[in-house]
């Protein structure tokens, strides 16, 4: 099905090869997992399979990529579309239509097929992903998992033999990811060849035939699914593997909990009966909790359960309909502290939040608005640059940094305001285990200095490693609250909460 | 500021079904152009009001009136304010009303007809209609995809604005005049970066699904001018003709 020989590729204006001497042979009907650290070249490899590289990305490509008998050098991306279905990370940015059936029909329409044939293909593709019921629905009213299934159907309607999925689960909650893998299992049974690019491996163990591990543009390991059960290999190649989580987490949290004494720490945030309603009817209802100094709180819940809305209300981006948010309830004068000192919030996508052209000016952006003098700004920025390990990057353009570095810059930008609370919204999306552990280290360091955290995440490994307490949300309500240590035995405990069914 | 409300996916195309939704987009386009032109010719305020009421009735039939009221309310407020200011300046309410009402009514016809079209026509139908009207394929596709991505861009802009607020910068109009860099650094640059990235993603996604500039495309649902469309067109033409005759004739309410 796929035959790659001596593939070498350089992105335009770079001397370091993004792919180096890659040889790969994939048989028809195989399910291949390509994994490795961020930036190891796995997405680049995927882009060579339908000709995005070299036809759209440019750059220099040596060697040969043949898919279903077609050499990608001789066929453009749209000519390869009937051979390769390509599913990207974010389903929403790939929707051209509003109705499910129109979206699925988009591909066959481009081929100029007659309406009866298009209708037949749409029906079959929707049947294959079990979305027939939703045919007339608006794509934007579907859940994230359903959107990704529509996306697969939109590719299946072109009848490709090969499906390439580039980190398709990174925006999905657990039920969404499970739906997706059930769909992939059906497609595999129907004889499709599937190449999955991912660094989360927990869901694919059952499906995968072969595992390919990449590093620095090279394939460094090829093996069967046994590789996914080898903790040493997982650790060595920075691959996420929560099967061995419990012992790891226990070690981590022994250090973590020693830092905070639950009984004596001061309460810094008290939320009472908070409610908020959107115009579309979705509401946050009666949310109450407290947070102590140096405490790390995790908020868990499926997409659309109200986690981000809660964070936005706390950060003052949305005005609560009812209820109170009190900072420093024990301290009468505490409420005079300005909002910027109380909390900072890092949103999911760093692209929306970086405004300046150098890291050190990014850290000082907006500080003058808070009434700091120039000397004070200068000294604060220097302190944070060195403590957050950003000194070497001080003159780099923030948009040129890696995603982990961008996030560190953003956290640092809030640290210059010396906040008491930092809220991070889905901070580990698309992160490999190396970068995730680095972020865990940063959070622990700041927590040691007395900063409290609210972490919104689907990432169980990350949450178990960092948090003291977990809040479970569903339909805008808190349905449970637990100390993280109570969740260690997650097979027993977490069955109760769908979110943690690993 | 919640732009999501103003530009949600549902407001740009209310995905419901009604006789107006099912109408051929070419007929609806004709309605927009026809009523706009007619509004320029009509002199009498009463007939302009009738035209607006007719368009509102069509919106009510299509079930989009509720969504429209938000925009029309703003428009109405603007009209009332303008008349009020003029009244303060001239101290003559009747004169201000007479002076501005034809202008705002014509504008109202255009806005209502335009919204009726936008709220009842799916991007897919619009693209087909344009194709049938011999619009070059790459242009019609770009136009309809742009329409589809307006809500996405509004969301992006809102997120960037939120990120600015989180950094303690609340760019009010005065701030923007005082420090233009807030607008430039805070909104324009991040928005451009997002637009470039999104455009790239969209282009690659389209080509990966066999899109080749829109040439030789077929369609699952072919739009066709049917009996209902013809009936509607004839009714509309007659209605507009009657309005024109009344306007030119001796009937005059004011």
């Amino acid at each position: 099905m796929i035959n790659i020989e001596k593939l070498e590729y350089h992105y335009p204006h770079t001397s370091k090869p993004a792919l180096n001497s890659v040889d790969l042979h994939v048989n028809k009907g195989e399910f291949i997992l390509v994994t490795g650290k961020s930036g190891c070249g796995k997405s680049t490899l995927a882009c060579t399979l339908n000709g995005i590289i070299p036809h759209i990305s440019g750059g220099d490509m040596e060697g040969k990529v043949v898919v279903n008998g077609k050499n990608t050098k001789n066929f453009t991306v749209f000519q390869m579309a009937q051979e390769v279905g390509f599913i990207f990370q974010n389903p929403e940015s790939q929707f051209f239509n509003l109705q499910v059936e129109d979206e699925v029909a988009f591909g066959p329409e481009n081929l100029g097929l007659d309406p009866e044939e298009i209708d037949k293909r749409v029906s079959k593709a929707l049947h294959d992903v079990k979305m027939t019921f939703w045919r007339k629905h608006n794509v934007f009213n579907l859940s994230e998992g359903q959107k990704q299934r529509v996306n697969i159907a939109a590719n299946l309607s072109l009848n490709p033999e090969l499906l390439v999925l580039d980190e398709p689960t990174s925006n999905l909650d657990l039920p969404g990811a499970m739906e997706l893998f059930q769909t992939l299992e059906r497609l595999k049974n129907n004889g499709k060849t599937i190449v999955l690019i991912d660094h989360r491996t927990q869901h694919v163990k059952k499906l995968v035939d072969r595992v390919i591990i990449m590093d620095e543009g090279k394939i460094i390991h090829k093996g069967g699914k046994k590789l996914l059960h080898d903790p040493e290999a997982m650790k060595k190649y920075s691959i996420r593997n929560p099967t061995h989580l419990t012992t790891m987490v226990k070690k981590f949290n022994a250090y973590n909990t020693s830092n905070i004494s639950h009984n004596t720490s001061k309460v810094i945030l008290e939320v009472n009966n908070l409610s908020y309603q959107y115009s579309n009817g979705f509401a946050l209802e009666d949310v109450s909790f407290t947070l102590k100094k140096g405490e790390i709180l995790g908020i868990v819940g499926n997409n659309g359960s109200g986690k981000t809305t809660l964070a936005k209300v706390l950060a003052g981006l949305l005005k609560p309909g009812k209820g109170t948010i009190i900072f420093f309830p024990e301290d009468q004068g505490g409420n005079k502290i300005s909002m910027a000192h109380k909390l900072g919030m890092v949103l999911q996508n760093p692209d929306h939040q970086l405004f300046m052209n150098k890291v050190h000016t990014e850290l000082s952006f907006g500080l003058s608005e808070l009434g700091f003098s120039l000397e004070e700004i200068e000294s604060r920025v220097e302190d944070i640059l060195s403590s957050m390990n950003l000194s070497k990057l001080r003159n780099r353009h923030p948009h040129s940094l890696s995603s982990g570095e961008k996030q560190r810059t953003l956290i640092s930008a809030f640290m210059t305001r010396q906040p008491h609370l930092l809220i991070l919204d889905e901070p580990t999306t698309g992160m490999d285990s190396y970068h995730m552990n680095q972020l865990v280290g940063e959070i622990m360091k700041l927590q040691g200095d007395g900063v409290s955290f609210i972490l919104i995440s689907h990432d169980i490994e990350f949450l178990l490693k960092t948090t003291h307490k977990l809040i479970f949300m569903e339909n805008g309500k808190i349905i449970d609250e637990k100390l993280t240590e109570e969740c260690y035995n997650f097979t027993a405990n977490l069955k109760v909460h769908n979110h943690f069914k690993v | 500021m919640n732009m999501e409300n103003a530009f949600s996916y549902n407001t740009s195309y209310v995905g419901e079904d009604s006789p107006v939704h099912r109408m051929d987009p070419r007929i609806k386009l004709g309605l927009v152009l026809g009523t706009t032109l007619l509004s320029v010719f009509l002199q009498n305020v009463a007939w302009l009001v009738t035209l607006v009421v007719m368009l509102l009735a069509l919106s009510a039939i299509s079930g989009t009136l509720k969504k429209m009221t938000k925009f029309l309310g703003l428009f109405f407020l603007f009209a009332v304010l303008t008349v009020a200011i003029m009244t303060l300046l001239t101290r003559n309410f009747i004169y201000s009303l007479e002076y501005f009402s034809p202008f705002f009514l014509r504008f109202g016809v255009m806005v209502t007809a335009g919204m009726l079209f936008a709220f009842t026509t799916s991007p897919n139908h619009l693209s087909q209609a344009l194709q049938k009207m011999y619009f070059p394929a790459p242009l019609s596709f770009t136009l309809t995809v742009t329409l589809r991505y307006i809500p996405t861009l509004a969301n992006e802009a809102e997120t960037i604005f939120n990120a600015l607020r989180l950094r303690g910068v609340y760019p009010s109009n005065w701030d923007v005049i005082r420090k233009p860099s807030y607008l430039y650094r805070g909104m324009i640059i991040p928005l451009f970066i997002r637009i470039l990235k999104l455009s790239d993603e969209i282009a690659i996604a389209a080509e990966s699904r066999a899109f080749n500039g829109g040439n030789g495309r077929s369609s699952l649902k072919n739009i066709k001018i049917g009996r209902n469309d013809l009936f509607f067109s004839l009714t509309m033409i007659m209605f507009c003709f009657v309005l024109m005759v009344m306007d030119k004739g001796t009937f005059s309410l004011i």
Side-chain angles (χ1 to χ4, degrees):
Chain A
M1 188 74 212
I2 303 174
N3 199 14
I4 300 178
E5 282 174 25
K6 294 190 185 110
L7 178 64
E8 189 171 324
Y9 174 70
H10 292 259
Y11 277 104
H13 319 296
T14 53
S15 55
K16 200 177 161 209
L19 293 173
N20 197 354
S21 334
V22 174
D23 289 292
L24 180 66
H25 183 82
V26 179
N27 295 321
K28 195 170 182 305
E30 264 192 305
F31 192 120
I32 307 282
L33 172 74
V34 182
T35 186
K37 279 181 208 168
S38 302
C40 69
K42 52 188 190 301
S43 291
T44 311
L45 179 66
C47 289
T48 62
L49 295 175
N50 70 341
I52 294 173
I53 289 174
H55 297 296
I56 297 180
S57 303
D60 297 324
M61 186 176 119
E62 302 285 331
K64 195 167 77 169
V65 180
V66 179
V67 177
N68 213 12
K70 286 185 174 172
N71 188 330
T72 57
K73 261 190 185 164
N74 307 328
F75 292 89
T76 55
V77 177
F78 71 83
Q79 286 168 328
M80 290 300 292
Q82 292 185 73
E83 314 298 333
V84 187
F86 206 106
I87 289 102
F88 299 87
Q89 208 176 75
N90 182 3
E92 271 191 26
S93 66
Q94 301 162 63
F95 289 148
F96 300 97
N97 292 282
L98 296 169
Q99 209 175 38
V100 170
E101 69 171 351
D102 290 343
E103 189 55 35
V104 179
F106 180 78
E109 284 175 346
N110 286 332
L111 298 178
L113 301 176
D114 55 60
E116 291 79 45
E117 174 64 18
I118 298 175
D119 186 60
K120 228 180 349 180
R121 287 192 179 202
V122 170
S123 304
K124 183 169 185 313
L126 286 175
H127 176 260
D128 285 349
V129 299
K130 290 206 168 165
M131 286 293 288
T132 309
F133 175 77
W134 306 92
R135 183 170 176 147
K136 300 281 178 194
H137 281 68
N138 185 327
V139 281
F140 292 100
N141 294 339
L142 302 176
S143 75
E144 292 300 313
Q146 288 171 330
K147 281 179 192 165
Q148 203 55 295
R149 272 151 67 199
V150 169
N151 215 345
I152 293 178
N155 281 282
L156 287 177
S157 60
L158 283 160
N159 279 342
E161 283 299 319
L162 168 67
L163 280 180
V164 181
L165 299 102
D166 190 3
E167 307 208 9
T169 57
S170 56
N171 289 330
L172 302 187
D173 52 16
L174 200 81
M178 300 304 264
E179 278 171 25
L180 181 82
F181 283 104
Q182 278 162 7
T183 307
L184 291 182
E185 188 174 0
R186 268 197 307 281
L187 294 174
K188 187 191 172 195
N189 294 339
N190 291 348
K192 296 278 180 210
T193 313
I194 297 170
V195 174
L196 174 72
I197 318 280
D198 217 335
H199 40 235
R200 291 178 194 217
T201 56
Q202 69 264 38
H203 306 295
V204 285
K205 283 180 185 158
K206 206 168 78 179
L207 297 173
V208 72
D209 295 314
R210 258 196 304 155
V211 180
I212 310 272
I213 299 173
M214 293 187 68
D215 195 22
E216 305 216 324
K218 285 184 183 159
I219 293 180
I220 47 165
H221 214 105
K222 287 182 196 171
K225 63 168 90 178
K226 265 194 274 171
L227 204 60
L228 295 177
H229 297 276
D230 177 1
E232 279 310 304
M234 296 287 101
K235 198 177 165 201
K236 190 171 164 196
Y237 303 123
S238 269
I239 297 159
R240 296 288 202 96
N241 191 6
T243 317
H244 306 278
L245 209 61
T246 324
T247 42
M248 250 161 43
V249 166
K250 276 191 175 161
K251 235 190 272 169
F252 239 96
N253 272 47
Y255 154 76
N256 185 355
T257 37
S258 65
N259 265 329
I260 167 168
S261 152
H262 284 286
N263 299 325
T264 55
S265 274
K266 202 163 134 185
V267 174
I268 64 148
L269 172 68
E270 192 179 288
V271 176
N272 297 314
N273 312 96
L274 199 65
S275 298
Y276 178 83
Q277 186 156 16
Y278 282 106
S279 54
N280 67 5
F282 177 78
L284 202 63
E285 273 176 57
D286 215 12
V287 171
S288 304
F289 65 90
T290 56
L291 188 73
K292 289 176 179 170
K293 188 175 162 69
E295 193 173 29
I296 305 180
L297 171 73
I299 302 183
V300 192
N302 292 336
N303 291 337
S305 58
K307 310 183 296 284
T308 302
T309 307
L310 173 61
K312 281 185 175 174
V313 174
L314 291 178
L317 293 176
L318 298 173
K319 273 194 191 127
K322 264 194 294 188
T324 51
I325 304 165
I326 308 168
F327 285 92
F328 309 105
E330 295 161 18
D331 184 354
Q332 292 293 316
N335 285 323
K336 284 176 190 146
I337 300 177
S338 91
M339 196 68 175
H341 294 279
K342 285 175 196 159
L343 65 86
M345 177 172 165
V346 180
L347 306 171
Q348 203 171 349
N349 188 343
D351 284 350
H352 294 127
Q353 308 165 71
L354 295 166
F355 303 108
M356 304 304 273
N357 53 7
K358 282 191 177 128
V359 169
H360 72 97
T361 47
E362 187 66 54
L363 262 55
S364 60
F365 178 71
L367 278 182
S368 57
E369 293 296 307
L370 301 173
F372 292 111
S373 68
L374 275 179
E375 295 80 43
E376 207 173 353
I377 293 174
E378 199 59 33
S379 83
R380 279 185 181 217
V381 168
E382 288 308 320
D383 284 352
I384 298 292
L385 278 174
S386 64
S387 70
M388 290 295 281
N389 222 354
L390 284 168
S391 299
K392 275 188 196 156
L393 304 172
R394 58 177 299 141
N395 288 323
R396 285 272 298 275
H397 197 294
H399 281 283
S400 73
L401 302 175
S402 73
S403 56
E405 289 164 345
K406 278 182 191 169
Q407 205 166 39
R408 192 142 38 105
T409 307
L410 276 170
I411 293 176
S412 309
F414 285 107
M415 288 315 297
T416 54
R417 290 132 208 260
Q418 296 174 341
H420 294 83
L421 166 64
L422 270 180
I423 304 174
L424 309 186
D425 191 2
E426 298 288 354
T428 59
T429 304
M431 261 192 193
D432 59 21
S433 102
Y434 172 79
H435 288 98
M436 191 262 296
N437 283 326
Q438 211 172 26
L439 179 66
V440 171
E442 283 154 21
I443 290 174
M444 289 317 183
K445 185 168 172 284
L446 295 173
Q447 184 254 347
D449 297 338
V451 182
S452 309
F453 281 87
I454 293 181
L455 306 176
I456 298 169
S457 186
H458 296 134
D459 190 336
I460 169 184
E461 187 182 354
F462 171 67
L463 286 176
L464 292 185
K465 275 184 172 179
T466 47
T467 56
H468 301 109
K469 197 164 78 179
L470 289 167
I471 280 179
F472 296 83
M473 287 190 76
E474 205 174 280
N475 299 326
K477 289 183 195 135
I478 294 184
I479 52 163
D480 204 356
E481 192 176 325
K482 271 191 158 52
L483 291 178
T484 310
E485 53 208 83
E486 293 176 275
C487 299
Y488 285 161
N489 181 10
F490 50 81
T491 36
N493 217 325
L494 308 178
K495 259 185 196 158
V496 187
H497 301 295
N498 200 7
H499 324 286
F500 270 1
K501 201 171 62 193
V502 180
Chain B
M1 186 166 87
N2 192 353
M3 283 191 272
E4 216 173 330
N5 282 337
F7 289 107
S8 79
Y9 297 103
N10 288 332
T11 26
S12 45
Y13 166 64
V14 184
E16 284 158 5
D17 200 23
S18 76
V20 186
H21 284 83
R22 285 193 293 271
M23 216 181 282
D24 191 289
R26 286 167 289 182
I27 303 290
K28 280 188 266 184
L29 210 56
L31 178 76
V32 176
L33 293 175
T35 47
T36 307
L37 264 178
L38 182 67
S39 72
V40 178
F41 285 112
L42 293 182
Q43 300 295 323
N44 191 317
V45 171
W47 310 130
L48 279 168
V49 171
T50 317
L51 197 56
V52 174
V53 170
M54 186 274 292
L55 287 169
L56 289 176
L58 280 178
S59 316
I61 293 170
S62 70
T64 55
L65 189 62
K66 209 175 146 197
K67 293 262 177 194
M68 273 193 203
T69 43
K70 200 160 44 184
F71 295 90
L72 289 176
L74 273 178
F75 179 72
F76 187 70
L77 188 74
F78 180 60
V80 169
L81 275 177
T82 314
V83 173
I85 291 169
M86 187 70 171
T87 311
L88 279 177
L89 291 175
T90 59
R91 309 211 168 270
N92 190 339
F93 173 66
I94 300 292
Y95 169 76
S96 311
L97 195 66
E98 277 180 353
Y99 188 81
F100 277 115
S101 43
F103 168 75
F104 277 112
L105 282 167
R106 282 182 191 127
F107 205 36
V109 168
M110 269 183 256
V111 172
T112 320
M115 277 199 290
L116 181 68
F117 181 81
F119 286 8
T120 58
T121 313
S122 73
N124 196 13
H125 277 174
L126 176 63
S127 133
Q128 276 186 59
L130 290 173
Q131 247 177 1
K132 293 219 164 170
M133 286 151 70
Y134 300 104
F135 226 70
L139 271 184
S140 66
F141 181 78
T142 314
L143 184 72
T144 47
V145 167
T146 310
L147 287 179
R148 137 80 184 87
Y149 278 90
I150 288 174
T152 308
L153 289 183
N155 273 346
E156 295 281 330
E158 196 196 346
T159 314
I160 293 168
F161 192 76
N162 277 343
L164 269 178
R165 288 174 61 191
L166 286 169
R167 297 281 280 275
V169 177
Y170 294 80
S172 63
N173 293 342
W174 167 239
D175 280 336
V176 171
I177 296 165
R178 194 169 54 95
K179 266 192 171 179
S181 70
Y182 278 152
L183 184 70
Y184 164 71
R185 287 237 172 263
M187 286 302 288
I188 296 173
I189 291 186
L191 198 56
F192 259 94
I193 288 173
R194 285 301 299 157
I195 288 173
L196 288 176
K197 283 194 177 175
L198 265 174
S199 317
D200 199 39
E201 277 176 32
I202 296 163
I204 291 178
E207 214 168 319
S208 301
R209 280 167 52 199
F211 180 73
N212 178 24
N215 296 313
R217 281 198 84 199
S218 59
S219 184
L220 172 64
K221 301 168 194 159
N222 267 320
I223 52 164
K224 226 170 41 191
I225 296 181
R227 209 193 310 165
N228 288 346
D229 293 311
L230 285 177
F231 175 73
F232 176 78
S233 314
L234 283 174
T235 320
M236 279 299 118
I237 290 170
M238 272 155 63
F239 179 78
C240 292
F241 185 72
V242 170
L243 280 186
M244 268 174 85
V245 171
M246 304 273 257
D247 191 63
K248 295 284 172 237
T250 46
F251 292 97
S252 181
L253 292 182
I254 296 178

